[in-house]
Amino acid sequence: MIALDIYSDPICPWCYIGKVYLERALEGLNENPFNIEWHPFQLNPKMPPTGMNRKKYLEKKFGGSNGVVEAYGPIIERTKSDNIDAKLDKIKVTPNTVNAHRIIHWSKIEGCQNQIVSELFKAYFVNGLDLGDINVLAKLASKYFMDEKSILRLLTSDNDLTNITEKDHTARQMGIKAVPMFIVANQYAVSGAQSTGFWQNIVKDIQNSIS
């Protein structure tokens, strides 16, 4: 299998869109050619632990309501044109995502990382849940590994906090400034939400190279 390392943040809309495109390209294949691993990259590493009101945060980030419309217009257009479920109006809080990244890290150990990443995207972009709320995270993760109380105990500890922040720092040292970032076969860096057709071509190239 080919290594596919994905740097992402579960509150990044383009990361969500990019995952949908990749999964659509892999649908119907007899075998997934990729060994996928998700890596942390916080869009807002200095976000307060309790997050911020999303409307106020976005207006501050993009210079007012007109800036928000300009920034999110292409995202809304893409989700509608490509039939990607997204209900952005439900999102009320822009959270600190360090705990969400800890959940993703633990899910890799448990062998359910892709499922957890999908659940986090759905929770935020479809259901508008606060991914900074450890109760939300524990309930979501308990569908796939451990029980809710055990996950809550981990989240209220410092377990793997330093690990996540160090990995985030390493990603920035590698030159990653925006996500999603896909690293194929430890050699090729692909930035942005690439189309389903792009990934289908990559899969064909892999299949041809081993046939």
Side-chain angles (χ1 to χ4, degrees), residues 50-71:
T50 55
M52 291 179 62
N53 175 277
R54 183 173 185 266
K55 183 176 184 294
K56 291 180 178 179
Y57 171 76
L58 291 180
E59 288 180 351
K60 181 179 179 181
K61 180 176 181 178
F62 295 112
S65 57
N66 288 338
V68 175
V69 171
E70 184 177 345

Side-chain angles (χ1 to χ4, degrees), residues 24 30 42 49 54 70 72 77 87 89 94 96 98 134 140 151 155 158 168 174 182:
R24 287 177 179 176
N30 292 328
Q42 286 187 270
R54 183 173 185 266
E70 184 177 345
Y72 270 80
E77 182 179 334
K87 298 177 178 63
D89 59 320
T94 298
N96 182 304
V98 68
I134 61 172
L140 180 155
I151 297 167
L155 287 171
D158 291 335
D168 183 283
M174 290 167 57
F182 303 87

Side-chain angles (χ1 to χ4, degrees), residues 121-158:
F121 281 140
K122 179 182 177 182
Y124 190 68
F125 289 106
V126 180
N127 298 322
L129 299 180
D130 180 3
L131 297 189
D133 185 333
I134 61 172
N135 294 292
V136 169
L137 294 174
K139 185 173 183 178
L140 180 155
S142 67
K143 298 178 183 178
Y144 296 91
F145 67 93
M146 295 189 194
D147 62 271
E148 204 168 326
K149 289 183 178 179
S150 296
I151 297 167
L152 276 172
R153 282 196 294 270
L154 282 172
L155 287 171
T156 52
S157 74
D158 291 335

Side-chain angles (χ1 to χ4, degrees), residues 74-139:
I75 294 167
I76 294 170
E77 182 179 334
R78 189 73 68 89
T79 57
K80 287 183 178 179
S81 64
D82 290 344
N83 196 28
I84 297 172
D85 194 6
K87 298 177 178 63
L88 302 181
D89 59 320
K90 283 190 173 185
I91 305 171
K92 305 303 179 185
V93 176
T94 298
N96 182 304
T97 57
V98 68
N99 285 326
H101 283 296
R102 287 206 285 169
I103 292 290
I104 294 170
H105 172 71
W106 297 329
S107 69
K108 177 181 182 296
I109 298 169
E110 299 293 335
C112 54
Q113 198 179 40
N114 273 310
Q115 294 96 316
I116 289 294
V117 172
S118 292
E119 287 282 353
L120 288 167
F121 281 140
K122 179 182 177 182
Y124 190 68
F125 289 106
V126 180
N127 298 322
L129 299 180
D130 180 3
L131 297 189
D133 185 333
I134 61 172
N135 294 292
V136 169
L137 294 174
K139 185 173 183 178

